[in-house]
């Protein structure tokens, strides 16, 4: 799973969000490393909807602007959990090996 | 006109690149996000942002059907890459044209006419080939059977062109052109192998012409 996809799904993990909020959440989660542009975001949202990992929750008009809220589907939550566990296992293995080799700086 | 209204107008112009159905569904929403993320007083879309929107719009137009087998997805991606490689080849042809012609006139005066006609034809047809790659990506992604035939015919044409260049000793006087043609040929070969793979054949048979 690409990092941007992982971050978008993570942004939706604790509740539905609209497009702009997803962009800011992704930036926050990645500590400013990943800044999605609108085109990239909507290409990803379109693909994730086609794969049924996310769905539209509701829409509303705020300041004359249409806001559509997206949520994780049960399949999306499952995929995110599997991917997070995989990344976690890899990271743990890396850190423990660095520790064993005495390579940890702190 | 206020900054925001002017910016909105410019964004709408970019969003017009998206397919009509998608625009109908999402234009207002994306426009809202673009305006939300715009800086205060911004009047024009940024260059990177515009490129991102155009790339996204192009993908929405070319994107394959959602139930596409992996081989077909790979083939469509390769054909999009083929358009980019072809464009690089066009630039190579144009940049090296003068040097190649003079080298050719000195080294192989006997074959001068045949090669000149061939090279001129390649230079004229190559820009059309960029469009052909994109057309093939779009049509194969939708499972049109004729697209598979067109892709095979197109590949034969590239092969013939490459063989002709090799046969006429192109390596000696037009190495850059030969490499560019070979790169296009490799992408063509890989995409043709993918669209004629077993998994892809089932797709053409069962899912012709998605809406």
């Amino acid at each position: 799973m690409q990092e941007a996809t992982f971050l978008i799904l993570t942004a939706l993990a604790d509740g539905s969000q609209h497009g702009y909020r997803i962009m800011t959440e992704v930036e926050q989660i990645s500590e400013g490393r990943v800044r999605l542009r609108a085109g990239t975001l909507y290409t990803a949202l379109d693909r994730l909807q086609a794969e049924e990992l996310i769905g539209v929750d509701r829409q509303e008009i705020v300041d004359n602007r249409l806001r559509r809220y997206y949520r994780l589907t049960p399949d999306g939550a499952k995929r995110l959990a599997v991917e997070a566990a995989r990344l976690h296992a890899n990271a743990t293995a890396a850190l423990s090996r660095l520790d064993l080799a005495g390579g940890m700086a702190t | 006109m206020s900054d925001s209204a002017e910016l909105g107008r410019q964004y709408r112009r970019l969003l017009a690149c998206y397919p009509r159905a998608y625009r109908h569904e999402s234009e207002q929403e994306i426009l809202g996000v673009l305006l939300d993320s715009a800086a205060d007083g911004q009047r024009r879309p940024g260059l990177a942002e515009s490129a991102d929107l155009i790339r996204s719009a192009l993908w929405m137009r070319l994107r394959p059907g959602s139930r596409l087998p992996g081989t077909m997805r790979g083939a469509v991606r390769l054909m999009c890459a083929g358009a980019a490689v072809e464009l690089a080849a066009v630039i190579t042809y144009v940049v090296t044209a003068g040097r190649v012609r003079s080298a050719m006139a000195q080294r192989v005066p006997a074959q001068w006419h045949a090669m000149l006609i061939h090279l001129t034809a390649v230079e004229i047809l190559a820009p059309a080939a960029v469009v052909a790659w994109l057309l093939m990506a779009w049509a194969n992604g939708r499972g049109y059977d004729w697209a598979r035939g067109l892709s095979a015919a197109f590949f034969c044409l590239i092969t013939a062109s490459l063989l002709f260049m090799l046969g006429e000793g192109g390596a000696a006087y037009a190495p850059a052109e030969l490499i560019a043609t070979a790169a296009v040929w490799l992408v063509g070969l890989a995409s043709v192998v993918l669209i004629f793979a077993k998994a892809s054949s089932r797709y053409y048979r069962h899912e012709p012409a998605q809406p």
Side-chain angles (χ1 to χ4, degrees), chain B residues 68-134:
Chain B
L68 218 57
T71 48
M72 283 305 299
R73 209 173 277 274
V76 171
R77 290 217 169 109
L78 268 174
M79 286 169 186
C80 292
V85 175
E86 187 78 50
L87 192 64
V90 173
I91 294 167
T92 310
Y93 297 150
V94 172
V95 169
T96 60
R99 197 168 47 76
V100 168
R101 279 175 173 72
S102 58
M104 210 161 60
Q106 284 168 7
R107 290 190 192 215
V108 280
Q111 295 149 0
W112 160 252
H113 283 296
M115 272 308 286
L116 186 68
I117 291 167
H118 178 73
L119 283 176
T120 309
V122 165
E123 282 157 18
I124 292 170
L125 291 177
V130 176
V131 179
W133 277 108
L134 293 176

Side-chain angles (χ1 to χ4, degrees), chain B:
Chain B
M1 191 182 281
S2 77
D3 289 351
S4 170
E6 169 62 17
L7 186 62
R9 202 177 59 83
Q10 303 246 1
Y11 276 137
R12 267 205 191 83
R13 201 179 284 171
L14 281 168
L15 291 171
C17 299
Y18 281 90
R20 190 183 305 181
Y22 184 79
R23 217 162 59 222
H24 180 72
E25 180 76 16
S26 302
E27 184 180 56
Q28 289 305 317
E29 183 191 355
I30 303 179
L31 188 63
V33 170
L34 287 165
L35 292 173
D36 278 340
S37 42
D40 283 341
Q42 185 179 341
R43 285 178 67 88
R44 289 177 177 283
L47 197 64
E49 193 171 48
S50 306
D52 181 62
L53 281 172
I54 291 168
R55 196 181 53 187
S56 164
L58 195 64
W59 174 247
M60 293 284 180
R61 285 187 180 275
L62 296 175
R63 71 183 160 177
S66 56
R67 282 172 294 156
L68 218 57
T71 48
M72 283 305 299
R73 209 173 277 274
V76 171
R77 290 217 169 109
L78 268 174
M79 286 169 186
C80 292
V85 175
E86 187 78 50
L87 192 64
V90 173
I91 294 167
T92 310
Y93 297 150
V94 172
V95 169
T96 60
R99 197 168 47 76
V100 168
R101 279 175 173 72
S102 58
M104 210 161 60
Q106 284 168 7
R107 290 190 192 215
V108 280
Q111 295 149 0
W112 160 252
H113 283 296
M115 272 308 286
L116 186 68
I117 291 167
H118 178 73
L119 283 176
T120 309
V122 165
E123 282 157 18
I124 292 170
L125 291 177
V130 176
V131 179
W133 277 108
L134 293 176
L135 174 72
M136 288 189 299
W138 173 80
N140 279 294
R142 273 156 186 73
Y144 293 120
D145 215 17
W146 57 262
R148 207 150 61 138
L150 177 72
S151 307
F154 189 65
F155 176 65
C156 290
L157 206 65
I158 305 169
T159 308
S161 172
L162 183 66
L163 289 177
F164 183 81
M165 283 179 92
L166 282 171
E168 299 292 314
Y173 54 83
E177 298 215 344
L178 193 64
I179 290 168
T181 309
V184 172
W185 181 81
L186 279 175
V187 178
L189 176 69
S191 57
V192 164
V193 166
L194 283 176
I195 58 175
F196 283 95
K198 213 181 210 174
S200 301
S201 296
R202 278 201 297 275
Y203 173 73
Y204 284 100
R205 237 185 349 263
H206 293 304
E207 293 192 48
Q210 290 197 347

